[in-house]
Amino acid sequence: MRTAVDTVRGSGGKVSIHRYPTSSLLFDGIRAVLGMALTLGPLAFLDIAWPMAGVLVLVGLIFLVFSFNLAVRSLSSIELSDDGVCRGGPMTRRLAWADLTSMKLAHYAAPRRPSEGWYQLTVKDSDTSLKIESTIEGFGDILSAAVRAARAGGLPLDPATGDNIRVFGWHADQLHDDR
């Protein structure tokens, strides 16, 4: 049985495979199903005025999109190597570190608890954008590889990304941010 972070030997050397833990996916799945039930369910059983029905449909569609993204995450893995990063599974995307044009690390605070929340790493080249949430196992390794690639490519990082990276232990002299 494969674990959430497997290491395999690939043609380009060592590759680590990272997955989102089932516990994280399960919690998000419960929220998605509950959201769709509370917004789309009343439309099936109640006679609702069209303005309110329109609002419920729009909010229900947001939960539907969230569910789709959740399904993609649950079927995907992130493959990390010295050469680049790849999301395997549905909607496969590959990005070579040498082609990196942008890196951003955003923090999304939990309501009423700003010190909690999650991070989202976005790496881009000229054709591809790949987003990876901090709930994935081995996120620190993925972030470390992205920071090394950004440094090697001399990419400037915006101040918010620099601040968020420092939370993970990197210091200002290791970053290229334009302060």
Side-chain angles (χ1 to χ4, degrees):
M1 178 170 170
R2 302 188 103 178
T3 60
V5 180
D6 295 328
T7 302
V8 296
R9 250 309 139 199
S11 60
K14 190 175 178 182
V15 176
S16 59
I17 300 174
H18 306 263
R19 292 180 184 80
Y20 290 94
T22 305
S23 59
S24 160
L25 297 170
L26 182 63
F27 180 69
D28 286 346
I30 290 169
R31 288 190 308 177
V33 169
L34 195 60
M36 285 190 293
L38 292 174
T39 56
L40 300 176
L43 297 174
F45 301 108
L46 302 173
D47 185 24
I48 299 175
W50 73 265
M52 183 54 124
V55 170
L56 289 174
V57 166
L58 288 176
V59 175
L61 288 175
I62 291 170
F63 281 107
L64 189 62
V65 169
F66 178 74
S67 298
F68 174 77
N69 289 335
L70 178 63
V72 169
R73 251 188 322 181
S74 71
L75 297 171
S76 298
S77 62
I78 298 295
E79 301 171 15
L80 179 66
S81 72
D82 292 337
D83 298 327
V85 63
C86 171
R87 180 176 64 208
M91 301 174 62
T92 298
R93 296 201 173 143
R94 299 181 194 286
L95 187 140
W97 292 130
D99 298 334
L100 187 67
T101 59
S102 173
M103 185 191 107
K104 183 176 183 175
L105 183 63
H107 179 251
Y108 297 94
R112 293 182 235 132
R113 293 185 204 142
S115 64
E116 295 180 16
W118 71 95
Y119 290 86
Q120 184 177 64
L121 173 65
T122 304
V123 289
K124 296 180 182 180
D125 65 14
S126 60
D127 302 320
T128 304
S129 177
L130 185 58
K131 296 183 180 196
I132 304 167
E133 291 185 9
S134 60
T135 56
I136 196 166
E137 293 191 7
F139 181 75
D141 296 334
I142 298 166
L143 178 60
S144 178
V147 169
R148 282 194 309 272
R151 286 178 50 207
L155 292 179
L157 302 177
D158 63 71
T161 294
D163 290 343
N164 290 332
I165 288 171
R166 285 182 193 88
V167 170
F168 286 87
W170 287 282
H171 302 287
D173 61 339
Q174 297 173 303
L175 303 172
H176 296 277
D177 60 18
D178 299 325
R179 285 199 181 198

